Amino acid sequence: MSAKVSALSFQPSATGRAHRLVRRGVAFAGLSAAIFAAGCRQDMQNQPKMVPQRGSDFFADMRGARPQVLDTVARGQLHEDSYFYTGVVQGPNGYRQELDEMPFPVTMDVLERGQERFNIYCTPCHSRVGNGLGEIVQRGFKPAANFHDQVRMSQPLSHYFYVMTHGYGAMPDYSAQLPPADRWAVAAYIRALQLSEAATVKDVPAGVHIANLKDLAAAEGHPEYAQPWPMPSTAVEAYKPIASEGTPGMAPAYPADPKISIPPSKPAPAAQK
Ligand code: HEC
């Protein structure tokens, strides 16, 4: 009997202890939260302010945010020259149209800027000469456009601007990396590359030394498949290759990868103009 009683009295006393422990725990947590909050909320928390997307009784219309003032444009955001910012104009049929024009004069500075930006952002895929066989393509990326095929040669200049602004197929856009003026500079430089690849002996100023690349390679003892072999940086005559290290500052020559075959480019569409 006594065993039964003690068993019964044991039950409530254990529950009571648990309750006391919980109560103490809650009190402790509440106290520390109060101390913590008192420490945090002393600064600029309590002051009149605007909470985004919430009403306010400061203005007569009870809105916190001010509506934009009609017919106004923020400083520096007018973008009046829409061709400069978009690369397209409205054509006679109402559709957007690309033009074979620069929105500002092309100087040597513009071309140099374009070359620098092109070499940074475009060569990984399009290569330094723009043949679409950059390093990333050599490692398996979709062949980038060859700027020297008929299709690309016949595209208007602002098409390049448009492609850099919006991307094209597998190619991402470069609008974040290149502000509009840089995109135009790169477009101008692509034109210069195209002209240089299609240049003939007649385009070379009188008195400048001309040599065939294959002859140069043979003269320096490079096999024909070595593309590119270390090229002279300035005058061909002054060039003395260092037998073991190649040319300082230039990539070593690799044989062309026979596994990579580039599909022939599509024939140019009939004249568009
Ligand atoms: C990551 C690789 C990559 C980079 C970097 C890249 N491109 Fe491309 N580009 C491509 C590929 C791939 C194509 C072909 C797209 C397709 O057919 O899907 C292409 C196509 C193009 C075309 C042809 C569009 C047409 O109408 O045929 C132009 C012009 C072009 N790129 C310009 C540039 C310029 C300028 C840059 C540097 C700002 C650049 N690309 C950087 C991969 C690249």
Side-chain angles (χ1 to χ4, degrees):
M1 187 69 186
S2 68
K4 207 174 185 182
V5 167
S6 73
L8 277 174
S9 65
F10 176 76
Q11 211 47 31
S13 92
T15 327
R17 203 160 56 216
H19 274 253
R20 269 199 307 281
L21 276 177
V22 168
R23 262 204 305 278
R24 255 183 245 157
V26 168
F28 179 73
L31 191 66
S32 34
I35 293 167
F36 179 74
C40 290
R41 307 206 102 197
Q42 284 304 308
D43 49 12
M44 298 165 81
Q45 178 73 16
N46 303 316
Q47 61 167 327
K49 63 178 178 296
M50 219 56 93
V51 180
Q53 306 295 342
R54 224 182 273 169
S56 144
D57 52 12
F58 185 79
F59 294 109
D61 63 1
M62 310 298 274
R63 289 196 269 182
R66 295 294 76 212
Q68 292 195 337
V69 183
L70 284 182
D71 302 322
T72 56
V73 176
R75 271 174 208 237
Q77 291 179 11
L78 185 52
H79 294 189
E80 220 172 358
D81 184 354
S82 69
Y83 182 61
F84 174 81
Y85 287 99
T86 62
V88 288
V89 294
Q90 200 175 8
N93 53 8
Y95 292 110
R96 64 179 176 79
Q97 194 187 344
E98 293 167 338
L99 299 180
D100 199 23
E101 281 169 22
M102 285 286 286
F104 52 84
V106 178
T107 60
M108 204 58 199
D109 284 344
V110 170
L111 282 180
E112 275 168 8
R113 174 77 180 171
Q115 179 182 44
E116 188 213 30
R117 297 290 108 179
F118 179 89
N119 285 347
I120 293 170
Y121 292 112
C122 317
T123 53
C125 297
H126 289 275
S127 92
R128 287 234 167 180
V129 289
N131 62 6
L133 300 178
E135 286 297 319
I136 295 181
V137 174
Q138 312 252 354
R139 283 157 177 74
F141 196 74
K142 182 176 180 181
N146 174 4
F147 297 138
H148 311 294
D149 65 18
Q150 272 185 309
V151 178
R152 256 56 68 156
M153 294 277 277
S154 59
Q155 281 164 338
L157 195 65
S158 84
H159 179 67
Y160 307 140
F161 181 93
Y162 198 82
V163 169
M164 282 179 260
T165 309
H166 299 283
Y168 184 86
M171 179 186 144
D173 77 86
Y174 281 82
S175 53
Q177 296 89 334
L178 300 168
D182 278 349
R183 276 174 253 160
W184 284 112
V186 169
Y189 180 68
I190 292 176
R191 246 321 169 257
L193 272 183
Q194 291 171 327
L195 292 174
S196 77
E197 285 285 298
T200 64
V201 174
K202 274 186 253 132
D203 297 312
V204 180
V208 172
H209 178 87
I210 303 170
N212 185 310
L213 284 186
K214 271 194 185 148
D215 296 344
L216 276 176
E220 287 166 14
H222 294 292
E224 206 174 304
Y225 62 74
Q227 292 177 8
W229 61 90
M231 282 293 294
S233 53
T234 49
V236 172
E237 286 80 0
Y239 174 59
K240 296 273 179 294
I242 305 159
S244 56
E245 292 153 275
T247 310
M250 304 210 77
Y254 297 106
D257 188 340
K259 290 196 293 295
I260 295 166
S261 68
I262 303 307
S265 31
K266 287 173 240 142
Q272 291 149 323
K273 280 179 192 164

